[in-house]
Each structure stands twice: as C-alpha cells, then as structure tokens.
Amino acid sequence: MYEDINIITGALKLYFRDLPIPLITYDAYPKFIDSAKTTDPDEQLEILHEALKLLPPAHCETLRYLMVHLKRYKISLVEQHQADTHVCTYPSPSTWERVTLHEKENLMNAENLGIVFGPTLMRAPELDAMAALNDIRYQRLVVEMLIKNEDILF
C-alpha cells in the first residue's frame, strides 16, 4: 500500500518518543529493567508480568496492541478507524498479516525490533547520560521479551 514503510514506522516512533510520559512509564521502568537483568527465563516472565501491572490501563493496552502488531499482525484501515472512534477491538483474523514471521524479507526479527523500539518506548527516569546509555541493552531485551511472549504476558 505504501512505497516506503519506513515513513510510517518513523512517524509511529516519533509519536511514542514525543509522549510526555513514555508508554513504559517512569514508575514502572525499574521493574522492566530488572526483568532484563534476570537470567532465569521463568523469573524474567514473572517480573515482566508484575511490571505490566504497574502500567496505567491505557499504556498497557497500547503496549499489548503494539507488541501483537510487531509480532504478527498488520493493522488494517478498519481497525485503525475503530481505534480512532475509541472502539476497543482486537483485529479480526481475516485482516492479520504476519510481521516478524516475514523476518527473512524485512529483516525485522524480535531482536531488531527491540533495538528500534526499546529506546522509543522506554526512557530512563534519571538524567544521568551514562546510566541511560547502559540501560539501552536492557531496553532492547525488554521489548524483545515482550514481543516474543506477548501471548503469555497480555
């Protein structure tokens, strides 16, 4: 439909980056980072699940929808219209188009999506540049885990 999907992706990232309160809020940020620092996969999911409970409902629902989209679905114009009219619906199966499942063509696996969206969806609450730089790898891991486990976490 669009010749350059990067324009749409750039607009989406700009929207999330310009939010006054990030999608993963400052209050919940430390818990999400803790999940990425944990080495046990089961414990990671438990911590992520607890971190999601710290988000306001609108943030959690938006994050869920984005993770589903990044993992496997492309939002159709019908769902976009419903979202614009504040109807909370889940995409119908006939409109789903897999995204990360086409990673061979688009090179956007969960890790790459984590690199792209991690710093956009999460911002360190402190202004210390070194701490924020250090957290980038954990932000990537958080988004990667959210994408890979969206069906379990949300």
Side-chain angles (χ1 to χ4, degrees):
M1 183 169 182
Y2 296 99
E3 288 183 28
D4 191 357
I5 194 68
N6 295 321
I7 293 170
I8 295 169
T9 304
L12 183 64
K13 286 175 34 190
L14 179 63
Y15 170 77
F16 285 122
R17 193 171 39 250
D18 284 350
L19 289 173
I21 299 171
L23 197 57
I24 293 177
T25 62
Y26 296 121
D27 292 339
Y29 183 90
K31 192 80 164 172
F32 278 94
I33 294 297
D34 287 346
S35 71
K37 290 179 177 179
T38 303
T39 56
D40 178 45
D42 291 332
E43 192 176 344
Q44 284 179 327
L45 291 178
E46 283 181 38
I47 296 170
L48 267 180
H49 195 262
E50 290 301 314
L52 288 168
K53 292 178 184 177
L54 298 174
L55 296 177
H59 286 238
C60 190
E61 186 64 16
T62 303
L63 186 62
R64 178 189 71 85
Y65 202 81
L66 180 61
M67 294 304 107
V68 168
H69 169 74
L70 292 176
K71 184 172 183 180
R72 44 182 140 153
Y73 310 118
K74 188 173 192 175
I75 303 170
S76 74
L77 293 176
V78 173
E79 280 80 27
Q80 184 59 49
H81 173 70
Q82 289 172 337
D84 290 344
T85 56
H86 305 290
V87 176
C88 187
T89 59
Y90 199 71
S92 62
S94 62
T95 62
W96 293 345
E97 181 179 321
R98 305 196 187 277
V99 175
T100 55
L101 297 179
H102 288 293
E103 67 183 72
K104 287 182 181 175
E105 294 87 32
N106 63 24
L107 305 177
M108 295 310 289
N109 59 23
E111 182 179 352
N112 288 340
L113 289 166
I115 291 168
V116 171
F117 280 96
T120 300
L121 302 177
M122 304 176 73
R123 291 194 297 272
E126 31 334 286
L127 297 175
D128 178 21
M130 286 307 292
L133 257 163
N134 188 46
D135 280 359
I136 288 176
R137 63 183 164 170
Y138 298 120
Q139 292 170 354
R140 177 194 62 81
L141 286 170
V142 167
V143 173
E144 183 180 344
M145 288 186 294
L146 288 169
I147 292 169
K148 287 181 175 178
N149 298 290
E150 58 79 21
D151 53 336
I152 298 167
L153 293 168
F154 295 97

